[in-house]
Amino acid sequence: MASLVTCSGTPSLSCSKLCTSMPVPDKPAADGEGVPCRLIYEGNVGSLCEDLAQVVASKQHLSKWIQIDMQPTTTAIDAADRGYLKAFRRLVRICPHNVLCVIRAHAVSALDLVVALSCDGVEIKSDGLQVHGEGEDLEMARRHFQVFSGSEAPSESGTAWPTAGLRMGKGFFGPWAAAFPGVLPYIWMGVRHAGLAMLTRPDGDDSKPTCEQQRAMEDCYAGCKCSALFASFDAVAERSSVLASVQDSEVDAAVAEAIAVELHGPDLASVTITSDFILASVPHIQQKLASVLGDSSVTRVHVRLLDGEVCSSRSIFPRGVAKHSDIFKWHRKWEQVMTTLSSRELVCTVEGIDLCPPQMELFFAGKVRQWKAPVKKVCWCQPPFWYSPG
């Protein structure tokens, strides 16, 4: 079963999954902020859901974190517990603070492992963790483990799993990792949507993330970004548009001149993009950049980022958007265009002084970045038209 422990229990980590390789402090902080709310999990997912819901509703964990001490009394799986797994995941996602699971046992069931990997953080105390299960339970645990750790798990029940892959390299998220419990809600949403796969990386400077890890990082970025975009859109949707005072013919002319491509030999292309390109449809952008995006022989791309005639740093919504899905589709496809461009030797040069945010995203995606604007200060959006890049 799971039992609720008061917020004066043994202190633990405070940095979500980022801190799986860090030691648990021996003593709580003097001000009490180093003390988590603790839950004891003994194998009953239903009881764990009840206790976690009680903690979330009571708000007793504020300014702290929730720690689940996993101490299962058996490695056998109760079929009734499978039905509570989705509810547990939902509770973790709506919890305003991070949920850390510490596995103290040397052996757990496959379902126990999935419960642990559904938390914001997991720390494994034993060197070799044995996972017991069979059939769909074991396969589900193996799939989760491979996505999160980048390592393939054994297919035999009772075998020790290579848990070292769950540990994050030092400095992965830099100094703000320690402030993770206090980050904005949409950042939490992005991290939770991506899961541990976004936070784990193979060892070594030359190593590359797995496909699952790469996708998770992209999902986290898009989740944070779109949450802020949707909130901004809802806040200003009823206000007059920046295009209200501009004639359609002027907008059409600005969009037509927003992107220009010039080829210099078989492997080099120069691209000019003005802020007005955000008013263009994605098919129009793709058509304008087709000679670069569709030709893999173009390995070097130099991009100049200029001011537009209509748009500026206050421009974050494409032309004609009417609902959240319109915003998501445009920005998601623009991110795909940026991914393709950044796979080349991308050089981005800022020459404008009031660029739209998608231009700045491309600038930061460049392998080489040059600042030639007369204003020596980076500007990211202007309120209330603001969103976070993730």
Side-chain angles (χ1 to χ4, degrees), residues 262 268-272 300-304 345-349:
E262 185 176 354
L268 175 62
S270 62
V271 181
T272 301
R300 296 180 295 157
V301 182
H302 292 185
V303 179
R304 299 171 60 219
E345 292 297 324
L346 179 62
V347 179
C348 293
T349 303

Side-chain angles (χ1 to χ4, degrees), residues 142-271:
R142 293 181 72 244
R143 288 195 301 270
H144 279 69
F145 185 82
Q146 183 168 1
V147 169
F148 292 165
S149 69
S151 302
E152 186 173 354
S155 57
E156 298 81 15
S157 177
T159 307
W161 286 24
T163 56
L166 291 176
R167 292 181 170 85
M168 273 61 68
K170 295 181 179 179
F172 182 83
F173 263 78
W176 65 275
F180 227 61
V183 299
L184 296 174
Y186 60 81
I187 303 292
W188 263 124
M189 191 211 73
V191 172
R192 282 171 167 163
H193 178 70
L196 181 60
M198 190 204 68
L199 306 179
T200 55
R201 294 290 294 273
D203 294 330
D205 295 335
D206 298 329
S207 60
K208 295 182 178 180
T210 64
C211 293
E212 293 86 358
Q213 290 169 334
Q214 186 68 41
R215 176 62 183 271
M217 287 185 280
E218 294 172 356
D219 285 347
C220 179
Y221 174 90
C224 300
K225 173 182 173 180
C226 288
S227 294
L229 279 168
F230 295 164
S232 297
F233 180 77
D234 293 342
V236 303
E238 301 301 326
R239 304 183 187 181
S240 59
S241 169
V242 68
L243 302 179
S245 59
V246 182
Q247 297 292 329
D248 288 343
S249 58
E250 295 180 52
V251 175
D252 293 338
V255 169
E257 301 296 326
I259 301 176
V261 178
E262 185 176 354
L263 298 177
H264 305 278
D267 66 339
L268 175 62
S270 62
V271 181

Side-chain angles (χ1 to χ4, degrees), residues 97-127:
H97 288 278
N98 55 343
V99 180
L100 173 69
C101 181
V102 178
I103 302 178
R104 302 187 181 277
H106 294 282
V108 297
S109 71
L111 185 62
D112 292 337
L113 183 63
V114 174
V115 169
L117 294 177
S118 298
C119 297
D120 296 318
V122 57
E123 182 185 22
I124 300 174
K125 291 294 188 179
S126 60
D127 293 332

Side-chain angles (χ1 to χ4, degrees), residues 249-310:
S249 58
E250 295 180 52
V251 175
D252 293 338
V255 169
E257 301 296 326
I259 301 176
V261 178
E262 185 176 354
L263 298 177
H264 305 278
D267 66 339
L268 175 62
S270 62
V271 181
T272 301
I273 300 178
T274 75
S275 298
D276 298 326
F277 96 99
I278 194 173
L279 301 180
S281 65
V282 172
H284 177 84
I285 296 173
Q286 293 171 330
Q287 185 271 326
K288 285 283 190 176
L289 297 174
S291 58
V292 177
L293 300 177
D295 188 351
S296 59
S297 65
V298 178
T299 58
R300 296 180 295 157
V301 182
H302 292 185
V303 179
R304 299 171 60 219
L305 302 171
L306 309 178
D307 292 328
E309 296 294 328
V310 177

